[in-house]
Amino acid sequence: MKKIIDWIKEIGTSLKNWIKENKLIAFLSFLVVCIVALMVIACLSDAFICFLNNHLIKETVKKGLIKKEEVFKLLGWALAGIGGALGLVLSAKRTKAIQDQANATQTQAKNILEQIKEDKEQAEKQRQSNEEQFERKHKQETYFEAIKIFKDDDESIKLGAFYTLYGLAQEYREAEIEQKQKIEELEKEKEKIKNKEEIKKEKALRKKNEDSHDQILTIICGFVRSYTQSKKYQSDNKEKPATLIQSILNTLCDEEKPFTYINTRERIDLSGANLKGANLTKANLESADLSDANLAKANLFNANLKGAYLNNANLERAILVDANLEEAILLQAHLEGAYLKETNLKEAYLNNANLAKANLNNANLERANLNNANLARAYLSDARLEGANLSSANLEGAYLNNANLERAYLKETNLKGANLIGADLFKAYLERAKLNDANLAGTELNNANLEGAYLSDANLEGAYLSEVNLEGAELNNANLEGAYLSDANLERVGLNKANLEGAYLSDTNLEGAELNNANLIEAELSNANLKGANLSNADLTGANLIGADLRKVNLIGADLENANLIGTNLREIIIENEKNEVINFNNAILIGAIWGTDINEYLDDFKIKYLDDFEEVDNIDDLSKYIKDIQESISMYESKLERQSEQTQDIKETITRLTKIKEEALNRLKDLKE
């Protein structure tokens, strides 16, 4: 009995699962069963038949909607339709099962093919791996064999070893480049797990190739350093490198196929190597370490030394024409007599370097650091030194004609006897610079700072010094003939015996300046501030001093013959000393000048060309000229009044005075014309 119950339960569970999986078929089956059951009941039960005859069928027939025979026919067709539908569903089910079986077979076949493909790829990778292992082993054996050969005494054998190592390095380089490209391609589809593994593997191989390449470079450089540093080598190769070393350098620094490249972590390290007289024309030594190296008389024409380390290197009389030394570090380097014409030294570090007598004509030293460098008697004609740092540098006797030193830093720089003809020193910083005996003829020094600079005996003929700061500077015996010093600051400047003939000093500040025995013939000093200046024995013949401030000026022995002093302030001037040296005012123009009562009688001793009285003037042309000068002076004072508050009262009085004199002169001119 128990077995029967278990069997029934098992059948029930199977039926339940079948119904869950085949809900539509189960529903249709249930519907068919229900209809069949009803028909069976209908056949067996007379009462049911009677009911149908008496009610449903009877009423239908009665109304003429359907015949009695057709009712049963209709029931038959319904049953047949349901059976047909059930058949179609079962057929579709069988078709789907067949299709699923076909798909499963196809998937299984595809998996088998993929497995075969993977096995094939794995076999290929294994083959390649075996080949790579064999190749690496071969390279290692070759590498160690070459290193052993390096120890041979025969230079030709050593050279063969070098070329072997070089060839290996190039292979490592090419492999590294290929791996780099492969990594880039793989990274485009990085999301694939397979690619990620490949990238990791390729990066590891790439690093090995990089390391191998750099290791060979280190070995070769180490060999060159140690080999050239030996006493025997230096004794045998005093003027130029041995053939072995020159051949290595030619290959190592090849311009078209350089040993180093962008991904190389190691730089060419030839620090301390003896490369005297080496031929390195067009050599690629970018970022190379050549510190303490001996490159005396070496030919580095058009070489690339950008960012190279040349600290304390010996480059005496080396040829560096058109070489690229941008950002190179040459601290304490020896470049005496080196030929650096048109060389690029932009932003290079040359602190404490020795460039005595070096040829740097047309060189680019823009923003270079030459602090404390020795450039004595160096040639820097047409050189570019914009923004360069030359503080405390020695440029004594250097040739800087037409050089561009715009905004250069030359604090305490020694430029004694330097040739700066036509140089551009616009806004240059020359505080306390030594420019004694320097030639600055025609030099551009506008807005430059020369505070406390030493310019004794310097030649500044025709120089442009507009708005320059020369406060406290020393210009004794300097030649400033025809120099342009408008709006310059020469406060407390030393200009004893200086030549300022024809110099333009309009609006210049010369307060407290020392101009003893200075030559100011026909100098333009209009509106200049000479308060408290020492002009004793100065020659101001024909000078224009319209509107100048000469208060408390020492004019003992000064020559003001033919000077124009219209509206000049001469209060408290010092006019004579115990030696009876006096001022020469002959033919001076003193229209509207201001002076104290102490010199009224003194002026009577001179033939003053013109004071405030115009009664004796009988020349229309002269009077017209004086009127023009008076108007010019009035305009100058009005401008001065707008710009400063000092002497405001004196300026206003002078303007009033000159205006009145002008009216008198105009009246006199009218009378003369009539």
Side-chain angles (χ1 to χ4, degrees):
M1 187 68 181
K2 188 178 179 182
K3 287 182 179 180
I4 293 169
I5 292 168
D6 292 339
W7 181 72
I8 292 168
K9 284 182 179 179
E10 188 177 341
I11 290 170
T13 304
S14 300
L15 184 61
K16 185 179 179 182
N17 293 335
W18 182 85
I19 290 169
K20 282 182 180 180
E21 292 175 1
N22 303 278
K23 289 180 180 178
L24 181 61
I25 296 170
F27 173 73
L28 292 172
S29 299
F30 175 74
L31 188 62
V32 170
V33 170
C34 289
I35 292 169
V36 171
L38 286 171
M39 289 179 72
V40 170
I41 292 168
C43 291
L44 296 174
S45 176
D46 291 335
F48 183 73
I49 294 168
C50 183
F51 174 79
L52 289 173
N53 287 330
N54 293 331
H55 293 84
L56 179 63
I57 298 172
K58 187 177 180 180
E59 289 295 321
T60 306
V61 172
K62 187 179 179 180
K63 291 178 180 180
L65 297 174
I66 191 169
K67 293 179 180 181
K68 184 187 276 189
E69 297 82 19
E70 289 178 351
V71 173
F72 291 100
K73 190 176 180 180
L74 183 64
L75 290 173
W77 277 110
L79 185 62
I82 292 167
L86 183 62
L88 287 171
V89 170
L90 291 172
S91 177
K93 187 74 174 175
R94 283 195 300 272
T95 303
K96 186 177 181 301
I98 293 166
Q99 184 64 40
D100 289 344
Q101 182 65 34
N103 289 341
T105 304
Q106 188 176 0
T107 302
Q108 188 177 6
K110 187 178 179 181
N111 290 338
I112 291 167
L113 288 171
E114 285 182 357
Q115 185 63 44
I116 292 168
K117 186 179 179 181
E118 284 181 9
D119 291 343
K120 189 176 180 182
E121 286 177 356
Q122 192 65 34
E124 180 63 23
K125 286 180 181 178
Q126 186 62 45
R127 185 187 66 77
Q128 289 178 356
S129 177
N130 292 337
E131 286 181 0
E132 286 172 2
Q133 286 179 5
F134 176 78
E135 189 178 351
R136 279 198 295 273
K137 186 178 179 182
H138 175 67
K139 284 180 179 178
Q140 286 175 352
E141 289 174 355
T142 308
Y143 168 77
F144 288 117
E145 188 64 30
I147 292 172
K148 287 179 184 178
I149 295 170
F150 254 138
K151 297 177 182 178
D152 198 287
D153 293 334
D154 192 327
E155 287 196 353
S156 60
I157 294 174
K158 288 179 189 288
L159 187 59
F162 162 72
Y163 283 125
T164 301
L165 288 173
Y166 176 75
L168 282 174
Q170 292 301 102
E171 287 179 20
Y172 285 128
R173 176 184 176 179
E174 288 167 6
E176 190 275 334
I177 291 169
E178 287 177 7
Q179 281 147 4
K180 182 186 175 184
Q181 292 172 347
K182 192 173 181 181
I183 290 165
E184 288 173 356
E185 289 173 5
L186 289 167
E187 283 182 339
K188 289 177 182 177
E189 299 180 18
K190 201 173 182 179
E191 66 278 358
K192 293 183 181 179
I193 297 171
K194 184 179 173 182
N195 281 8
K196 287 180 181 179
E197 292 173 357
E198 281 292 315
I199 289 168
K200 189 176 179 182
K201 181 184 174 183
E202 290 299 326
K203 282 183 176 179
L205 287 170
R206 182 183 175 188
K207 187 178 182 303
K208 282 183 181 179
N209 284 319
E210 283 180 349
D211 291 342
S212 300
H213 178 279
D214 295 346
Q215 190 177 10
I216 291 172
L217 175 62
T218 302
I219 290 165
I220 292 169
C221 290
F223 168 74
V224 173
R225 291 197 305 272
S226 60
Y227 191 71
T228 59
Q229 285 170 356
S230 67
K231 290 182 179 178
K232 185 180 184 305
Y233 175 86
Q234 293 181 18
S235 176
D236 295 341
N237 303 277
K238 292 179 180 179
E239 295 301 320
K240 62 179 183 178
T243 304
L244 167 65
I245 298 301
Q246 185 61 64
S247 299
I248 291 173
L249 292 173
N250 292 343
T251 309
L252 199 64
C253 310
D254 190 276
E255 177 196 16
E256 295 179 0
K257 199 174 183 182
F259 198 97
T260 54
Y261 55 103
I262 196 163
N263 294 318
T264 306
R265 291 166 297 169
E266 291 292 323
R267 66 178 74 238
I268 290 177
D269 184 0
L270 296 170
S271 55
N274 183 5
L275 304 171
K276 185 177 180 181
N279 183 4
L280 292 160
T281 303
K282 295 184 178 181
N284 183 7
L285 287 158
E286 185 172 348
S287 300
D289 189 350
L290 292 155
S291 303
D292 299 293
N294 183 2
L295 287 155
K297 297 181 182 179
N299 186 354
L300 287 148
F301 172 76
N302 207 21
N304 181 10
L305 288 150
K306 183 179 180 180
Y309 291 83
L310 287 147
N311 299 335
N312 207 38
N314 183 2
L315 288 150
E316 288 182 36
R317 290 183 284 172
I319 298 170
L320 287 147
V321 177
D322 208 25
N324 183 9
L325 282 151
E326 186 175 347
E327 297 176 1
I329 300 171
L330 293 125
L331 306 179
Q332 297 180 319
H334 296 273
L335 288 145
E336 299 97 305
Y339 204 59
L340 293 138
K341 187 178 180 182
E342 298 180 4
T343 300
N344 182 9
L345 284 152
K346 185 179 179 180
E347 296 181 12
Y349 294 85
L350 288 145
N351 309 50
N352 298 292
N354 191 347
L355 289 140
K357 296 183 180 179
N359 188 332
L360 288 145
N361 292 337
N362 291 99
N364 184 0
L365 288 145
E366 189 178 346
R367 294 192 299 280
N369 197 328
L370 289 142
N371 178 37
N372 214 35
N374 181 15
L375 288 146
R377 296 185 297 284
Y379 297 87
L380 288 146
S381 300
D382 297 290
R384 291 187 59 186
L385 288 145
E386 303 101 296
N389 181 4
L390 288 146
S391 58
S392 302
N394 181 15
L395 283 149
E396 187 171 352
Y399 296 87
L400 287 147
N401 42 303
N402 298 310
N404 189 347
L405 287 146
E406 188 176 327
R407 292 184 175 84
Y409 194 79
L410 294 140
K411 184 179 180 181
E412 298 180 0
T413 301
N414 181 10
L415 285 151
K416 289 180 182 178
N419 184 350
L420 287 144
I421 295 173
D424 186 353
L425 284 149
F426 176 73
K427 286 191 176 180
Y429 192 85
L430 288 144
E431 187 178 352
R432 296 193 298 280
K434 299 175 183 67
L435 286 149
N436 311 64
D437 295 300
N439 191 347
L440 291 143
T443 301
E444 168 72 59
L445 280 153
N446 293 338
N447 297 93
N449 184 4
L450 285 147
E451 187 177 346
Y454 301 91
L455 288 143
S456 296
D457 299 295
N459 181 14
L460 287 146
E461 186 177 349
Y464 297 89
L465 295 138
S466 178
E467 297 183 50
V468 72
N469 181 14
L470 280 155
E471 185 177 345
E474 187 181 296
L475 287 132
N476 298 326
N477 293 304
N479 180 14
L480 287 144
E481 186 176 346
Y484 193 88
L485 289 138
S486 177
D487 294 296
N489 181 13
L490 286 97
E491 189 175 343
R492 294 180 286 102
V493 72
L495 283 155
N496 295 323
K497 297 183 180 180
N499 181 13
L500 287 147
E501 186 174 346
Y504 192 91
L505 293 143
S506 182
D507 294 289
T508 301
N509 181 13
L510 284 151
E511 187 172 343
E514 287 290 331
L515 287 147
N516 180 38
N517 289 295
N519 179 4
L520 287 152
I521 296 172
E522 296 183 359
E524 177 61 56
L525 286 151
S526 55
N527 214 27
N529 179 12
L530 286 149
K531 184 181 176 182
N534 181 7
L535 283 154
S536 59
N537 298 304
D539 191 348
L540 289 146
T541 303
N544 184 6
L545 289 147
I546 292 177
D549 185 358
L550 290 161
R551 288 177 294 165
K552 298 181 181 180
V553 171
N554 183 351
L555 285 163
I556 296 171
D559 190 347
L560 286 153
E561 187 171 351
N562 293 313
N564 190 342
L565 293 145
I566 294 176
T568 304
N569 192 338
L570 292 159
R571 281 180 179 161
E572 300 179 69
I573 60 170
I574 303 169
I575 55 176
E576 74 180 306
N577 59 8
E578 62 278 2
K579 294 181 181 179
N580 293 319
E581 292 178 314
V582 294
I583 308 167
N584 180 9
F585 277 110
N586 283 328
N587 290 313
I589 304 171
L590 288 158
I591 299 171
I594 303 170
W595 59 81
T597 55
D598 54 326
I599 63 166
N600 282 333
E601 295 180 4
Y602 177 76
L603 290 173
D604 292 338
D605 296 334
F606 296 95
K607 182 185 176 183
I608 306 301
K609 189 172 184 180
Y610 212 63
L611 284 170
D612 299 353
D613 187 5
F614 294 95
E615 289 298 324
E616 296 180 4
V617 179
D618 56 3
N619 188 305
I620 292 174
D621 291 337
D622 286 348
L623 193 54
S624 297
K625 181 181 179 299
Y626 294 145
I627 291 168
K628 184 180 178 182
D629 289 345
I630 292 165
Q631 182 55 53
E632 183 182 331
S633 186
I634 290 169
S635 300
M636 193 174 292
Y637 272 111
E638 286 174 342
S639 175
K640 193 173 184 179
L641 192 62
E642 290 176 3
R643 288 187 283 113
Q644 64 179 56
S645 58
E646 189 185 358
Q647 286 185 272
T648 301
Q649 191 58 37
D650 285 346
I651 292 168
K652 286 180 178 178
E653 288 177 9
T654 303
I655 292 170
T656 303
R657 191 179 202 183
L658 288 170
T659 303
K660 186 178 179 181
I661 293 168
K662 179 187 171 185
E663 289 173 359
E664 291 174 2
L666 286 168
N667 290 332
R668 176 62 178 158
L669 181 63
K670 185 179 179 182
D671 293 341
L672 286 172
K673 286 181 178 179
E674 289 175 355

